[in-house]
Amino acid sequence: MGNSRRNFLQKTALGMGAYFLPAYASNAEDLDRIHEQAQRLPTGPRFNMSGYAAPKLDVVRVGFIGIGNRGFGAVERMTRIEGVKINALCDLRPGQVEKARQLVASSGHKPALYSGGPEVWKKLAERDDLDLVYILTPWAFHTPMAVFSMEHGKHVCVEVPAAKTIEEAWMLVNTSERTRKHCMMVENCCYDASELLTLSMARQGFFGEIVHCEGGYIHNLQELMFSKEHFYQMWELEEASRRVGNLYPTHGLGPLCQLLNINRGDRMDYLVSMSSNDFVTGPLAKKLAAGDSFYTPYAGRKYNGTMNTSTIRTSKGKTILVQFDVSSPRPYSRIQLVSGTSGAGLKYPEPARYATGHEWLKPEEYKALEEKYMPPLLKKIGGLAKGIGDHGGMDFIMDWRTIDCLRNGLPLDQNVYDAALWSSVAPLSVWSVANQSNSITVPDFTGGNWKTNAPVDISMEKGGTTKVLGAGSSAALGGVVADSGKRVGIIGLDTSHSTAFTEALNGTMPDPAFEGYKIVAAYPRGSKDIRSSTERIPAYTEEVKKHGVEIVGSIAELLRKVDVVLLETNDGRPHLEQALEVIKAGKPLFVDKPVAGTLAEAVAVYAAARKHKVPVFSASSLRYMNGMTEIRAGLTVGRVLGADAFSPAPLEPHHPDFFWYGIHGVGDADNGDGHWLFVGFAGEHRGYRRSDGCLDRRKGRDFPRDPDRRARVWRDGVW
């Protein structure tokens, strides 16, 4: 088996003539090989890569191999990091390489292009003007490409998993040690905001002694796995038909290893794994093949089990549970449970939560924890990262941190021993599943150095000098960078809505629905004579600045920096003038209450929007409160024929009628189809009828001293 496998590697894997290595663990001989490699002990002199700091590079010259689903994202992220020069791009498909070239051209990069041949990537790795090779190909090529690149004097970033076999994992370790080149597996989940916060809390003793952790990768990928376009040559479905075990352990496992200081004070001792039968992938292949001959080759195969559960015991007697399921119709989860002698944490189901007893801490207590334990890395780059790339910014934090370490001559957060160990869980689980869930020894890739290796440094006491590049310019680490089309500006910092929106978009853990949108600039001027508003501006200005928002001196300056505008000025009287400037600039606009100071001015705002074909929106936030959208859609009470709504409506002497606050009641009760509404305000009551998109007054108002007093309203012309 060894000779045939090596011959295959020489002929195809080190090129790209075929996309798959032979099926691993397909027979008893393959399983014996896993067990043999798991028992292997390193021999000969070694160089410890844990804590190794390579000579610093002022400019990091990068080449990319693999411009597919993740490749484009990685290429784009690197264009936003100071000190990076993209010198080469490679993919089998010429069209992909050309798209990537166009992507980086606007940032001044002029990479050489490689495509077409199965071994053309070697030419990229052999170049003299590269310091780092970034590998984003199908799994089978990660180790061959990484080894070849290190042999040719390059540091390596390689996608997960870094290796498919224990033998490959040892190849990575030996090559990295011998060449003294970094081999970092780009496990982005180690840079998730929640995982980083949890790591910081662990370092400061919140959990006490950590005893047990749980992680996983639970993500229904069936639609993508059976897509004819998503995974080139259906490579991930092929992987699922070749082995039974936890084939993708690192997303859930990586952050837990950092929590437990695995390879840096503790080590994995042995592993036990169990898989269910496949109840989803095989039946789906059969169903699709019945209607489309494309899927015929995939029908009738044996696929990986629906759920795999692996447990690991460490040398210090701690335990880790890792699960893998990419076919069940379940919400996405990496679990991320940490249990210690003093506290516990759990990320999924979101939002993340923490406890020191029988109940989870309340949201306000969580906020205090977040402020107390916020890690320096998130303080420095977290807000910026959210507007760049995918996955809430963790991909960008990872790339920025890696480049910053290389530029400052610092050890990387993840080294070759992490890449080898975390990847090795896949073949080890395959062996255990095939042997009735018997235990198997986990190799010590550090050769005993785990006892003295220092934990990952999260202090940021060194480095942190690399800037983030904005669209065509550089931005210091105090600002916010958002993708083009998602840069949000605020007019008016005289209302708490301004700080609330800033926190929602620029906060540490924004709702995924807002991903990519960031408030980058604000013009603070609002009301000139409403004292309750003018007094707020200084404090609110300082608050938004803490979130990296740039304060500008005019609306014109704001419009040059943003794509979308939130008009938050608390006073409705200047809204028409402010809105017209935005609308004429062609920027989509949200107008907070009140729309304007008078009905005529409100009509003028929307007339200008129609004329210039610019989207303008205004509404009470209560329109979207829990239950309201369901009622409005007829999902809970059927068709709405009438509604009573009550809300506060304090008067403001500069605004007529209910302009100042009445929208909350009217907005809630308006169902838009011409039926009568009753709107009761605290202190004032009025009846309305919807007609041709307008609200017509049908009954005068009174001003009862008792705010609970009810008023009768017209209904079909009758009291």
Side-chain angles (χ1 to χ4, degrees):
M1 192 297 183
N3 289 335
S4 63
R5 182 177 179 279
R6 281 191 289 272
N7 291 338
F8 185 86
L9 276 168
Q10 293 170 357
K11 293 178 180 178
T12 62
L14 291 177
M16 294 187 76
Y19 250 74
F20 307 102
L21 297 181
Y24 295 115
S26 60
N27 53 50
E29 186 179 359
D30 294 342
L31 293 169
D32 288 344
R33 185 66 174 170
I34 293 174
H35 194 269
E36 174 190 332
Q37 289 293 314
Q39 308 296 322
R40 173 179 169 179
L41 296 175
T43 59
R46 302 187 64 182
F47 179 82
N48 188 4
M49 290 298 292
S50 184
Y52 171 68
K56 67 179 181 180
L57 302 165
D58 291 332
V59 176
V60 182
R61 302 167 299 175
V62 185
F64 289 88
I65 304 176
I67 315 293
N69 298 320
R70 295 190 178 182
F72 277 111
V75 170
E76 183 175 20
R77 294 193 301 270
M78 284 294 180
T79 66
R80 309 294 287 273
I81 303 175
E82 180 190 28
V84 169
K85 187 176 181 182
I86 300 174
N87 280 352
L89 300 169
C90 177
D91 193 274
L92 272 176
R93 298 155 292 181
Q96 297 295 101
V97 176
E98 175 57 24
K99 289 178 183 178
R101 184 199 66 76
Q102 295 176 12
L103 180 68
V104 304
S106 61
S107 303
H109 298 279
K110 299 178 180 179
L113 308 182
Y114 298 90
S115 64
E119 297 190 7
V120 70
W121 62 271
K122 288 184 177 181
K123 295 181 180 180
L124 179 148
E126 290 169 342
R127 291 178 64 101
D128 293 331
D129 61 347
L130 294 181
D131 305 299
L132 173 68
V133 173
Y134 207 128
I135 300 167
L136 303 110
T137 61
W139 303 345
F141 296 95
H142 289 177
T143 294
M145 290 178 172
V147 168
F148 189 89
S149 297
M150 287 188 284
E151 294 282 10
H152 285 80
K154 314 301 188 295
H155 298 300
V156 168
C157 283
V158 57
E159 256 295 352
V160 301
K164 284 186 61 177
T165 69
I166 307 297
E167 193 171 18
E168 286 187 344
W170 278 113
M171 290 172 62
L172 293 174
V173 169
N174 293 338
T175 306
S176 179
E177 290 181 345
R178 178 166 43 79
T179 62
R180 300 192 183 186
K181 293 299 177 181
H182 290 300
C183 180
M184 174 178 166
M185 182 175 68
V186 285
E187 182 40 75
N188 57 348
C189 294
C190 290
Y191 296 91
D192 175 88
S194 178
E195 273 88 329
L196 284 172
L197 178 64
T198 301
L199 179 60
S200 177
M201 294 169 68
R203 291 289 177 85
Q204 298 180 61
F206 177 85
F207 303 105
E209 183 79 8
I210 297 177
V211 177
H212 174 75
C213 291
E214 298 180 12
Y217 187 69
I218 299 172
H219 188 187
N220 186 359
L221 296 176
Q222 293 297 284
E223 182 177 352
L224 296 179
M225 290 173 66
F226 282 96
S227 167
K228 299 176 183 179
E229 305 294 334
H230 190 77
F231 291 113
Y232 185 58
Q233 295 184 348
M234 308 292 285
W235 70 262
E236 186 145 337
L237 188 61
E238 293 282 355
E239 290 283 0
S241 70
R242 294 172 183 265
R243 297 180 293 172
V244 177
N246 187 333
L247 308 187
Y248 200 68
T250 70
H251 282 340
L253 184 63
L256 303 183
C257 287
Q258 292 189 341
L259 280 172
L260 293 169
N261 291 325
I262 300 297
N263 285 339
R264 298 169 172 84
D266 199 357
R267 64 172 292 261
M268 295 183 191
D269 191 0
Y270 60 88
L271 171 149
V272 172
S273 186
M274 180 180 292
S275 285
S276 72
N277 288 341
D278 165 39
F279 294 93
V280 180
T281 308
L284 181 56
K286 182 178 180 180
K287 178 181 178 181
L288 291 172
D292 187 341
S293 61
F294 174 85
Y295 295 103
T296 300
Y298 304 101
R301 292 189 187 184
K302 180 181 179 181
Y303 288 95
N304 191 21
T306 298
M307 168 63 81
N308 175 272
T309 300
S310 300
T311 54
I312 302 164
R313 182 178 170 89
T314 77
S315 180
K316 291 190 173 181
K318 301 178 180 183
T319 54
I320 307 171
L321 180 146
V322 187
Q323 292 189 319
F324 176 67
D325 178 355
V326 292
S327 57
S328 296
R330 295 174 56 182
Y332 178 90
S333 175
R334 298 195 303 273
I335 306 175
Q336 295 304 295
L337 180 142
V338 51
S339 179
T341 56
S342 299
L346 178 67
K347 179 174 182 183
Y348 295 94
E350 294 182 294
R353 65 208 74 181
Y354 300 95
T356 56
H358 289 293
E359 296 182 356
W360 298 112
L361 298 179
K362 295 180 174 59
E364 57 269 22
E365 295 174 299
Y366 172 83
K367 187 67 177 178
L369 285 178
E370 186 179 66
E371 293 176 357
K372 179 179 179 180
Y373 294 106
M374 182 63 62
L377 181 57
L378 280 184
K379 288 181 181 179
K380 182 169 286 287
I381 197 71
L384 287 156
K386 289 169 187 167
I388 306 174
D390 296 325
H391 303 124
M394 63 184 181
D395 298 354
F396 184 76
I397 294 175
M398 173 184 68
D399 287 341
W400 177 87
R401 172 66 174 163
T402 302
I403 295 299
D404 188 65
C405 287
L406 291 173
R407 296 184 73 225
N408 285 281
L410 300 174
L412 302 188
D413 295 339
Q414 300 173 40
N415 56 44
V416 69
Y417 309 115
D418 301 319
L421 179 64
W422 303 352
S423 299
S424 73
V425 168
L428 293 173
S429 72
V430 170
W431 185 92
S432 182
V433 169
N435 286 274
Q436 295 187 323
S437 300
N438 278 322
S439 64
I440 184 169
T441 299
V442 179
D444 174 17
F445 293 99
T446 73
N449 287 325
W450 62 269
K451 298 175 183 178
T452 56
N453 288 339
V456 176
D457 182 11
I458 62 172
S459 69
M460 290 292 292
E461 292 177 355
K462 298 179 181 179
T465 59
T466 301
K467 295 179 180 179
V468 175
L469 304 182
S473 64
S474 65
L477 283 175
V480 174
V481 177
D483 292 338
S484 178
K486 297 184 177 181
R487 300 171 300 167
V488 183
I490 288 179
I491 297 175
L493 296 179
D494 59 345
T495 169
S496 60
H497 290 193
S498 298
T499 56
F501 283 134
T502 302
E503 173 65 28
L505 296 182
N506 294 21
T508 305
M509 298 178 187
D511 190 306
F514 306 142
E515 188 170 315
Y517 285 91
K518 300 294 169 188
I519 294 174
V520 300
Y523 172 64
R525 297 291 176 260
S527 178
K528 297 179 180 179
D529 52 10
I530 300 178
R531 186 175 178 181
S532 63
S533 295
T534 58
E535 291 178 343
R536 298 172 175 175
I537 293 177
Y540 288 164
T541 299
E542 292 304 312
E543 183 65 26
V544 301
K545 285 168 66 176
K546 293 178 183 178
H547 289 279
V549 178
E550 179 184 359
I551 305 302
V552 299
S554 68
I555 294 177
E557 183 181 358
L558 178 88
L559 294 174
R560 290 194 294 269
K561 299 175 179 289
V562 303
D563 308 299
V564 181
V565 175
L566 307 179
L567 177 45
E568 295 299 320
T569 302
N570 210 20
D571 189 341
R573 291 170 296 169
H575 275 193
L576 176 59
E577 179 183 355
Q578 294 171 327
L580 286 177
E581 195 167 351
V582 177
I583 291 169
K584 290 178 181 179
K587 311 286 185 179
L589 175 66
F590 168 74
V591 184
D592 213 329
K593 65 172 184 59
V595 176
T598 68
L599 176 60
E601 291 174 352
V603 171
V605 168
Y606 291 107
R610 283 193 295 271
K611 177 181 177 181
H612 294 278
K613 298 180 180 179
V614 174
V616 173
F617 174 69
S618 183
S620 164
S621 59
L622 299 185
R623 186 182 185 92
Y624 301 98
M625 65 184 177
N626 290 340
M628 183 60 69
T629 54
E630 290 81 0
I631 292 173
R632 193 181 305 278
L635 300 178
T636 54
V637 298
R639 184 185 181 194
V640 178
L641 302 178
D644 293 353
F646 297 84
S647 76
L651 298 180
E652 201 288 315
H654 299 90
H655 292 76
D657 212 49
F658 297 127
F659 270 72
W660 181 247
Y661 225 77
I663 189 173
H664 286 320
V666 175
D668 292 344
D670 174 26
N671 71 351
D673 64 358
H675 291 286
W676 280 103
L677 316 170
F678 173 73
V679 184
F681 300 110
E684 307 182 25
H685 308 281
R686 175 175 285 186
Y688 294 94
R689 181 180 175 85
R690 181 91 180 182
S691 174
D692 297 328
C694 299
L695 289 175
D696 298 327
R697 187 174 64 188
R698 291 299 179 93
K699 178 61 182 174
R701 59 181 174 171
D702 57 20
F703 297 87
R705 294 184 179 181
D706 178 5
D708 291 330
R709 177 180 172 183
R710 301 293 186 266
R712 295 175 182 268
V713 298
W714 287 85
R715 186 175 184 83
D716 297 332
V718 180
W719 278 92

